[in-house]
Amino acid sequence: ISPVTGRPYQAEIVSATVVAPTCAEADALATACMASTLPQARKMLLSLKGVKAILAIAEADSLRVINIE
């Protein structure tokens, strides 16, 4: 749900799996990725040491998977 419109929102990132030093960090980062655009999520993840992620991106009728280390 978009906090701006109150209506369903189709994000570019449809799934985010994050490995981080702690479970709490991984959960927070995955949530942040889901609320971000791909460039924003990639920049954030690459700026952090010890963090890896797999992001699924919606493209037309398919998914593209991106590995970020």
Side-chain angles (χ1 to χ4, degrees):
I1 303 284
S2 167
V4 175
T5 66
R7 300 186 46 84
Y9 173 72
Q10 179 61 48
E12 179 181 20
I13 299 172
V14 296
S15 177
T17 301
V18 178
V19 177
T22 69
C23 183
E25 289 173 293
D27 182 51
L29 290 169
T31 300
C33 286
M34 294 298 296
S36 303
T37 65
L38 178 57
Q40 291 169 332
R42 184 186 310 240
K43 182 177 179 181
M44 174 186 64
L45 293 167
L46 290 173
S47 73
L48 302 168
K49 293 185 185 211
V51 173
K52 298 179 182 181
I54 298 173
L55 305 177
I57 311 303
E59 290 187 342
D61 291 337
S62 65
L63 291 176
R64 177 170 51 116
V65 177
I66 297 174
N67 186 24
I68 298 175
E69 295 188 46

